């Protein structure tokens, strides 16, 4: 583990480690679904659409994201996990459109940059560039403050 403190971002990375270690056969899509449920309260199935629409829940409130992703709120874990679930649900292009046009998160804002980071994480995970077993370390190295 890289120098990660006891922040919300580090707790998200720990959650990713725990999910990855809970099953040797967890697919990237199932991993993201579980992460969304446990980090942002986004339930699987048809409930997913309702939960995404309402913005999820701050199940891991707090801070600890790098400054480029830090909007000053305690909802960055929810934001990241929600965007990951949105990406597997709607795809990257529609997720960006929703983020910019409905959520009004400009691409140059901390939330906009976190959206792009979450989409990149998700697409790399789905594409096999990031193994599920390495997702937690990826979060620590790329998203969390040191």
């Amino acid at each position: 583990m890289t120098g990660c403190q006891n922040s919300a971002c580090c707790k998200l990375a720990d959650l990713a480690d725990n999910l990855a270690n809970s099953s040797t056969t967890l697919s990237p899509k199932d991993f993201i679904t579980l992460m969304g449920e446990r980090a942002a309260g986004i339930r699987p199935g048809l409930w997913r659409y309702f939960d995404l629409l309402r913005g999820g829940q701050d199940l891991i409130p707090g801070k600890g994201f790098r400054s480029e992703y830090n909007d000053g709120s305690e909802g960055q874990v929810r934001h990241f996990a929600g965007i990951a679930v949105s990406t597997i649900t709607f795809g990257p292009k529609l997720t960006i459109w929703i983020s910019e046009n409905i959520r009004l998160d400009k691409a140059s804002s901390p939330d906009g940059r976190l959206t792009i980071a979450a989409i990149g994480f998700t697409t790399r995970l789905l594409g096999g560039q990031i193994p599920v077993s390495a997702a937690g370390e990826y979060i620590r190295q790329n998203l969390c403050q040191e």
Side-chain angles (χ1 to χ4, degrees), residues 38-104:
R38 296 192 185 159
I42 300 169
R43 295 166 288 182
L46 293 177
W47 286 107
R48 170 183 298 183
Y49 300 98
F50 173 75
D51 293 337
L52 284 169
L53 181 64
R54 69 183 174 90
Q57 299 174 313
D58 288 325
L59 298 181
I60 305 175
K63 299 184 180 193
F65 283 78
R66 290 183 179 185
S67 60
E68 63 260 38
Y69 306 123
N70 184 358
D71 70 350
S73 76
E74 295 199 357
Q76 297 305 96
V77 168
R78 175 194 48 79
H79 182 112
F80 182 84
I83 292 295
V85 173
S86 180
T87 302
I88 64 170
T89 305
F90 302 117
K93 288 181 182 179
L94 185 53
T95 296
I96 289 171
W97 188 90
I98 291 168
S99 177
E100 292 178 353
N101 295 287
I102 295 176
R103 296 274 177 209
L104 303 178

Side-chain angles (χ1 to χ4, degrees), residues 26-50:
L26 194 61
S27 73
K29 190 173 181 179
D30 290 341
F31 169 82
I32 293 164
T33 299
L34 284 170
M35 183 179 71
E37 185 175 17
R38 296 192 185 159
I42 300 169
R43 295 166 288 182
L46 293 177
W47 286 107
R48 170 183 298 183
Y49 300 98
F50 173 75

